[in-house]
Amino acid sequence: MASISRRPDGRWRPRYRDEAGKEHARHFDRKTDAIRWLDEVTASIVTGDYVDPDAGKLTFKAWFEQWSSLQVWERGTLLAARQAAATVTFADVPMRQIRPSHVQQWIKAMSRPASSRGSGLAPSTIRTRYNYVHICMRAAVLDRVIKADPTAGAALPRRRKAAAAMTIPTAEEVGTALDLAPTWFQPFVAVCAFAGLRLGEAAGLRLDDVDFLRRTISVRHQVQGESNATAELVAPKFGSERVVYVPAELIELLSEHVRRAGTGPGDWLVSSDGRPLNRNSAGHQWRQLRQAAGLDEYTLHDLRHFYASGLIAAGCDVVTVQRALGHSSATITLGVYSHLWPTAEDRTRAAAGGLMAAALDARADSVRTSGC
C-alpha cells in the first residue's frame, strides 16, 4: 500500500509498507520528487530488489558478528575470517555508508609497511583477507542489508607469478636437512618431503594412519592451532582427506622411528613430550634445522613443493598430482604448479633433438660401414 499526502506546511509526504508490513515515509518539497521516490521504492519491491533503509544502519562489525556466527566453519577458518574483519578500517561505519573508496583505503593500508623497517603484508595475505570481507559483503546483499557490494571490483596488489615466487629445495638440500635433523624430528621432515603432507597434516598423523605393508599413509586429520593451548585435531581441509602411496624407503625410515621411539597404536607418529606438534613448535624445530643446514630461504611448506615437483618431473599427470597433494580440484593444482609441467615448446625441442640424434647416429653408422 502506497500513498502521497500534503502536509499543513506544504511539503509532500509519500509513504508505503514493505514486505513485512512496516510503514516508511519521507518528506519532499516538490510533489514530482515524492512521486519519483515512491515509484522507485514500489518498483524495487515488485522486482525483489527492495532493501529496508533501516537494515543498513548496523555497522560492518555488527553485521560480521551476526553473519559469521551462522557459518559452518572449522576453527581455523573462523579465526582467519575474524582476523580479516579485525583489520578493516571501516569496522564502525554503517553498512549502507560503506563505499568502494573505504575498501580501497583499507587495502592500501594493508599494503603499507607498519614501520619504516617493514614492507607491508604480502599480496597473497591481502587477497585472502579481502576474500573473507568480500564474501561477508556479498552475503549482506543477498540478505538485503545493502543494495550493492562495495568490495566488488576492488584493485588488489599484484601477486608474483608462481614460477618466480616458489622456492623448491634440491634433492641434495633435502638430504642435508634429513641428515642434520634430530632423530625424533626426521619422520616429520620426511613425510612433508616424500609424501607432500602439510604441516598440520604431518602433525596430526598417528601410528594407525600408516599402513606399513601396503606402503600408504592415510591423511584423516590435521592439527590446527599455534600453541599447545590452542591446538586441536580437526578434519583436513576440504577435499584433502586422502591416501598417499609412499616409497619403501620412507616406510623403512618410519619403521625405524617407531621401533626406536616405542610408538604404539593410537600414539602420535611424531610428538614432543607426548603431545602433537603445532604450528609454533614445528616451525621452531624447522627454523633451527634450516639454520644448521644453511637452508634459510626454505619453509616447511617448500618441502611439499619439492614433493610435487618430483611427481611432475617423473611424468605424473595433473589428476594424479592433485590427488596426492589433496587439492580439492585440478584447477588448484594447475594454478600452483602449471609452470613445472613441460610446455609444448619443451616437447618440440626434445622431439627435434631426438630426430637429430637419430639422424647423426645413422650417418655415423653409414660412415663406419663404408670405411670397413
Side-chain angles (χ1 to χ4, degrees), residues 292-311:
L295 305 176
D296 288 340
E297 64 181 301
Y298 301 117
T299 66
L300 262 174
H301 199 75
D302 289 333
L303 297 179
R304 179 171 161 87
H305 295 328
F306 169 77
Y307 173 73
S309 68
L311 297 185

Side-chain angles (χ1 to χ4, degrees), residues 227-246:
S227 64
N228 288 331
T230 60
E232 61 177 341
L233 195 66
V234 300
K237 294 178 64 175
F238 176 75
S240 291
E241 189 169 353
R242 63 197 184 278
V243 174
V244 183
Y245 299 88
V246 298

Side-chain angles (χ1 to χ4, degrees), residues 46-248:
V46 172
T47 59
D49 296 329
Y50 175 76
V51 173
D52 185 342
D54 293 331
K57 290 182 178 180
L58 80 169
T59 63
F60 171 81
K61 181 178 180 180
W63 164 247
F64 175 82
E65 289 299 325
Q66 177 182 322
W67 168 73
S68 62
S69 67
L70 301 176
Q71 305 310 304
V72 184
W73 283 339
E74 295 289 350
R75 177 178 173 274
T77 304
L78 177 59
L79 290 176
R82 284 178 174 171
Q83 184 180 38
T87 65
V88 301
T89 53
F90 44 84
D92 297 321
V93 178
M95 289 289 287
R96 65 182 183 184
Q97 294 180 17
I98 298 174
R99 301 289 180 262
S101 57
H102 288 101
V103 178
Q104 210 61 59
Q105 182 185 35
W106 167 55
I107 293 172
K108 186 173 182 179
M110 288 192 289
S111 304
R112 287 196 301 263
S115 66
S116 58
R117 299 170 59 186
S119 58
L121 297 179
S124 58
T125 303
I126 293 174
R127 187 174 293 270
T128 298
R129 293 187 179 183
Y130 162 80
N131 285 339
Y132 280 116
V133 175
H134 179 48
I135 295 170
C136 178
M137 288 295 192
R138 285 173 54 190
V141 174
L142 292 175
D143 228 28
R144 298 187 187 181
V145 174
I146 51 177
K147 285 186 178 181
D149 172 13
T151 65
L156 296 168
R158 290 183 179 180
R159 289 184 294 185
R160 296 176 64 195
K161 291 184 178 180
M166 185 177 294
T167 55
I168 303 176
T170 65
E172 182 180 1
E173 289 172 327
V174 173
T176 300
L178 276 175
D179 287 341
L180 297 179
T183 305
W184 70 271
F185 192 58
Q186 282 182 346
F188 196 95
V189 175
V191 295
C192 291
F194 306 120
L197 271 61
R198 301 175 177 92
L199 186 159
E201 294 170 344
L205 281 181
R206 295 183 184 274
L207 178 60
D208 302 339
D209 295 324
V210 182
D211 191 322
F212 292 88
L213 293 179
R214 294 183 174 84
R215 290 180 292 172
T216 63
I217 293 178
S218 297
V219 181
R220 303 187 179 103
H221 307 96
Q222 65 171 328
V223 173
Q224 280 191 351
E226 295 73 32
S227 64
N228 288 331
T230 60
E232 61 177 341
L233 195 66
V234 300
K237 294 178 64 175
F238 176 75
S240 291
E241 189 169 353
R242 63 197 184 278
V243 174
V244 183
Y245 299 88
V246 298

Side-chain angles (χ1 to χ4, degrees), residues 5 7 11-16 24-28 34 37 41:
S5 60
R7 294 178 56 81
R11 304 182 73 199
W12 297 91
R13 181 175 183 266
R15 59 179 181 172
Y16 68 93
H24 302 269
R26 284 187 61 181
H27 297 86
F28 295 88
W37 177 79
V41 171

Side-chain angles (χ1 to χ4, degrees), residues 201-356:
E201 294 170 344
L205 281 181
R206 295 183 184 274
L207 178 60
D208 302 339
D209 295 324
V210 182
D211 191 322
F212 292 88
L213 293 179
R214 294 183 174 84
R215 290 180 292 172
T216 63
I217 293 178
S218 297
V219 181
R220 303 187 179 103
H221 307 96
Q222 65 171 328
V223 173
Q224 280 191 351
E226 295 73 32
S227 64
N228 288 331
T230 60
E232 61 177 341
L233 195 66
V234 300
K237 294 178 64 175
F238 176 75
S240 291
E241 189 169 353
R242 63 197 184 278
V243 174
V244 183
Y245 299 88
V246 298
E249 293 81 359
L250 177 57
I251 291 296
E252 291 173 8
L253 186 151
L254 297 181
S255 298
E256 177 61 22
H257 166 73
V258 169
R259 183 196 64 77
R260 187 172 53 244
T263 308
D267 290 346
W268 303 107
L269 187 64
V270 180
S271 64
S272 176
D273 298 327
R275 291 178 293 195
L277 295 176
N278 52 65
R279 184 163 298 279
N280 287 347
S281 59
H284 173 69
Q285 289 296 329
W286 173 253
R287 285 189 294 274
Q288 287 188 320
L289 173 57
R290 73 182 185 185
Q291 184 177 10
L295 305 176
D296 288 340
E297 64 181 301
Y298 301 117
T299 66
L300 262 174
H301 199 75
D302 289 333
L303 297 179
R304 179 171 161 87
H305 295 328
F306 169 77
Y307 173 73
S309 68
L311 297 185
I312 295 169
C316 294
D317 58 70
V318 176
V319 174
T320 299
V321 177
Q322 171 209 339
R323 290 172 177 170
L325 293 174
H327 287 156
S328 58
S329 73
T331 302
I332 295 175
T333 308
L334 284 172
V336 178
Y337 298 111
S338 61
H339 65 286
L340 298 181
W341 264 281
T343 64
E345 292 81 1
D346 294 328
R347 295 190 183 95
T348 301
R349 186 178 293 111
L355 289 172
M356 185 172 179

